[in-house]
Amino acid sequence: MNLTALCSFRTMRRETTIKTLRIMKLTAIILLAVCLQVSANGFSQKVTLSMKNAPLQKVFKEINRQTGFQFFYKDVLLKQVGKINIEVKDAAIDEVLKQCFSNLSITYDIADKTIVVKERTELNNIVAELPPPPPLKITGVVKDEKGEPVAGASVTVKGTNSGTTTNESGYFELNNVNENATLVITATNIETVEVKVSGKTSFDIAVKIKVSSLDQIQIIGYGSTTKRLTTGAISTVKSDQINLRPVDNIFQALQGQVSGLAITNPGSGVGSPQQILIRGKNSITSGTVPLIILDGVIINQNLGNIKGSAFYQDGVSVLNSINPNDVKSIDILKDADATAIYGSRGTNGVIIITTKGAQVSDTRVSANVSAGVARAAGAVKRLNTEQYLQYRKDAFAVGNATDASAINPIVPSSFNAPDLTVWSQTAYTDYAKFEIDNPAYSYNADVSMVGGTKEFNFLTSISYAKKYDTYLFDPYQERYNGRMRFNHTSKNDKFKLSLNTILGIENQKFAQLNIGGSIPSSSTNAPNFELYKTDGTYNYPGGSGAISGAIIIRYLTRI
């Protein structure tokens, strides 16, 4: 009985041991599986990307979002690499990274969940160890716009003393030329051209014929000529010279540009016309204004006086409505050429204005916008009210000198000294600055479109300009311009049709001085003469604040 019990106990203990071992084995297997799964998650997470021409920063950000991997890098490295294309679906992180960094000058290292981007030093070392490329033998032909060979042209390697010249066929050879060098082709009769070698060994180089200033076209009454062939006194100003000056009137751009041509501004108001003289005054009673022709149309330059304005005694000019940017050239005929072509109308000279025309080219649109501000020149610094009144009191205390006495005081009164007895002793207005030294803003905008074929080409342009004056009450000149030019030529060149229209609208608010009456009286208005009446209106009439009488003093000091 006792033996039976012992055997039963031993059997139970053995079964318990076996169960324990089984549990331990199962636990070990589960732990191993978990570890393997964690490792697999660390290096085998699936990534899906579809990006084209994408910067690496954007690719890294998307990988980080899908996997949690952090990237460390220098911005300068990624900027040097540029953008990449990548297309993967459910790919492992290692495969994605290999595809990202393939054929790049950078590489990476992985540490835990961190990816460090670095330079590919091996590639840098290989590049540094590569021998320089061998020098090249360069051959080529230089031809002009007509396809004719250019003989005697100098072909040099920029920055070196190596060079040669073209033969009669325009052919040249150069040895030992670096693949990154630049060839410079020059000659007295062609425009200078620079050509990059970029590893090439054969060149066909086209150059432009240089136009001498003696061969520039000049427009005359019955056609055109050149400086080389002309026998008269003709001066030409091209659009390049006109556009260098920010002017509102084309004749302002001619000031100081042409010998024998004198251009002055007798009126000081904005938009007032210029007085034009070619080789001085040629007539006493028949006027001195030259004949002005715009695209073959004679322009009337004598428009008369504008009543009520001291600034426009010579009227206004229709030429104010012409946009200087539309002008191609201006030719000035000074001597017998003018009268030989235009008769007595050309006695005072002839000015021929030619506007820009249509071109055979691809359609081009150009725009120009500008703004500016001007102030009066030669402004003076005036005494303030306290200083001015003290001068006046001192002057009355001295009075008029006589043979008997050098000092004869004068008693101020409302008649001879309203500034001391009637007007405010504290008010102050700088009348010269108030009336003639205001900021004058200007705005200009123009848009043009040109192009077409030989059969049909066109030019259209619109422009707007507005310019204020420095005088009181904001006088201004406002201009609207529109141009259309169309040319049609038949295929056999036997029929040609040209249409040229110019529209100009000018608005002006004329300059005037309503307080001082004129610039001199504005400068001598007493500073304590009150600018406004009690009802808030200006203290008219003009000249009311000008001081004269027993004592006349100057109270202006230069800056």
Side-chain angles (χ1 to χ4, degrees), residues 28 52 72 81 120 354 378 486 544:
K52 291 184 178 180
F72 284 89
V81 172
R120 195 185 297 271
T354 305
F486 301 98
S544 298

Side-chain angles (χ1 to χ4, degrees), residues 55-69:
L56 280 175
Q57 292 95 325
K58 186 176 180 181
V59 177
F60 292 165
K61 186 176 181 180
E62 183 61 24
I63 295 175
N64 171 259
R65 187 186 68 80
Q66 296 186 26
T67 66
F69 275 82

Side-chain angles (χ1 to χ4, degrees), residues 172-225:
F172 68 91
E173 287 185 5
L174 276 173
N175 295 316
N176 300 322
V177 179
N178 187 285
E179 66 174 0
N180 297 319
T182 300
L183 303 181
V184 181
I185 297 89
T186 59
T188 56
N189 61 334
I190 64 171
E191 301 286 347
T192 300
V193 176
E194 293 189 2
V195 179
K196 292 185 178 180
V197 174
S198 301
K200 295 173 59 178
T201 59
S202 180
F203 294 88
D204 288 322
I205 302 173
V207 296
K208 292 183 178 180
I209 299 298
K210 183 186 295 183
V211 179
S212 170
S213 59
L214 294 176
D215 296 316
Q216 289 183 351
I217 300 298
Q218 293 182 322
I219 305 299
I220 54 179
Y222 46 79
S224 61
T225 183

Side-chain angles (χ1 to χ4, degrees), residues 323 443-447 462-466 478-481:
N323 181 9
Y443 312 94
N444 183 75
D446 59 76
V447 180
I462 57 174
S463 65
Y464 171 79
K466 189 172 186 178
E478 188 176 37
R479 183 186 69 228
Y480 300 87
N481 288 99

Side-chain angles (χ1 to χ4, degrees), residues 44-79:
S44 300
Q45 297 186 56
K46 303 301 181 182
V47 179
T48 299
L49 293 174
S50 178
M51 295 183 177
K52 291 184 178 180
N53 199 29
L56 280 175
Q57 292 95 325
K58 186 176 180 181
V59 177
F60 292 165
K61 186 176 181 180
E62 183 61 24
I63 295 175
N64 171 259
R65 187 186 68 80
Q66 296 186 26
T67 66
F69 275 82
Q70 298 289 336
F71 288 84
F72 284 89
Y73 55 83
K74 293 181 179 179
D75 288 334
V76 65
L77 292 179
L78 303 191
K79 290 180 179 179

Side-chain angles (χ1 to χ4, degrees), residues 237 241-243 245 247 249-257:
V237 179
Q241 298 170 265
I242 297 174
N243 295 336
R245 298 187 174 189
V247 296
N249 186 292
I250 54 177
F251 286 123
Q252 293 174 345
L254 297 181
Q255 291 178 317
Q257 298 290 315

